[in-house]
Amino acid sequence: MEHFYTLQGEGFHQGRAAYFIRLGGCDVGCVWCDVKDSWDSGKHPLLNIEDLILNIERTQAKLVVITGGEPLMHDLDALTATLKEKGYEVNIETSGAHPLSGYWDWICLSPKKFKAPLPGILPLANELKVIVFNRSDLDWAEKYAALVSPACKLYLQPEWEKASDVTPLIIEYIKQHPQWELSLQIHKYIDVP
Ligand code: SF4
């Protein structure tokens, strides 16, 4: 769908320079999705891996983030193997709703109520990032926290349009449950893609 060099705005790697590859295609259907243009993969041109990497090599990027859409609708073995051969650190952001492919330095699992993650990815997640749209999402977040590995980092992130309502709830919740941390979409605050 698009690719660009920016700062990672969310989660554990927040604030780091990162080259983003946003793949078209998603069948998860989150009502609050902020990239609905990504849903139809047919709307976005195919690029070959070599051309994509030439674009990355024109930047100082060390970290590449594969996102979507739902990137695991595609077989990511070839893309990630080539990126790793070139020495890039390669991270994914996924709902986990499709089988895992690819070679990863970091898996950010962001499960969605609209299409549950497959069980196989849960113990492999380095980071669990739950988008909070309302209070009941906090209980739902705990369900997944119990299924990931003990080393997995836990983040609660306010849904952007609901942030003024839910951020105070999240702050209080984290104070009571300090295993969780707050993730903000800082790229939206600093107005970068
Ligand atoms: S998984 Fe991501 S891209 Fe797909 S509908 Fe949900 S927020 Fe949008």
Side-chain angles (χ1 to χ4, degrees):
M1 178 180 174
E2 57 182 349
H3 53 101
F4 47 90
Y5 190 38
T6 185
L7 302 190
Q8 166 60 287
E10 307 178 1
F12 183 78
H13 296 281
Q14 183 185 81
R16 292 184 61 193
Y19 201 98
F20 273 72
I21 300 173
R22 184 186 304 286
L23 298 175
C26 186
D27 62 358
V28 177
C30 305
V31 290
W32 41 258
C33 178
D34 59 359
V35 280
K36 289 193 168 106
D37 264 1
S38 71
W39 289 8
D40 180 359
S41 63
K43 281 171 52 178
H44 307 291
L46 281 174
L47 297 179
N48 74 48
I49 290 171
E50 288 69 29
D51 288 346
L52 194 49
I53 288 177
L54 281 176
N55 283 282
I56 303 173
E57 288 177 336
R58 290 192 192 107
T59 72
Q60 299 300 311
K62 305 278 183 253
L63 168 63
V64 176
V65 179
I66 314 288
T67 187
E70 173 39 67
L72 289 179
M73 290 181 75
H74 307 276
D75 182 339
L76 298 175
D77 286 355
L79 173 61
T80 54
T82 311
L83 287 166
K84 302 278 291 172
E85 270 169 35
K86 296 274 185 182
Y88 291 105
E89 181 183 343
V90 189
N91 296 0
I92 187 170
E93 312 239 341
T94 177
S95 70
H98 288 265
L100 184 65
S101 59
Y103 307 98
W104 305 105
D105 293 295
W106 190 268
I107 294 174
C108 173
L109 173 65
S110 186
K112 303 295 182 333
K113 280 180 170 171
F114 310 95
K115 187 166 184 178
L118 299 177
I121 198 169
L122 293 163
L124 303 175
N126 301 100
E127 170 181 356
L128 176 70
K129 184 174 68 188
V130 176
I131 313 303
V132 180
F133 186 78
N134 56 41
R135 185 183 291 272
S136 70
D137 291 335
L138 297 170
D139 292 335
W140 189 80
E142 292 293 356
K143 171 182 149 186
Y144 282 98
L147 297 172
V148 294
S149 79
C152 185
K153 300 282 294 177
L154 304 177
Y155 290 97
L156 297 171
Q157 179 173 298
E159 194 278 322
W160 180 251
E161 299 291 334
K162 288 276 189 168
S164 59
D165 293 335
V166 296
T167 304
L169 297 179
I170 294 172
I171 292 168
E172 277 314 304
Y173 191 83
I174 292 173
K175 286 162 71 179
Q176 298 301 321
H177 304 85
Q179 67 274 29
W180 290 94
E181 295 179 34
L182 176 65
S183 171
L184 296 175
Q185 293 181 294
I186 62 162
H187 53 293
K188 295 188 178 179
Y189 291 95
I190 61 177
D191 200 21
V192 299

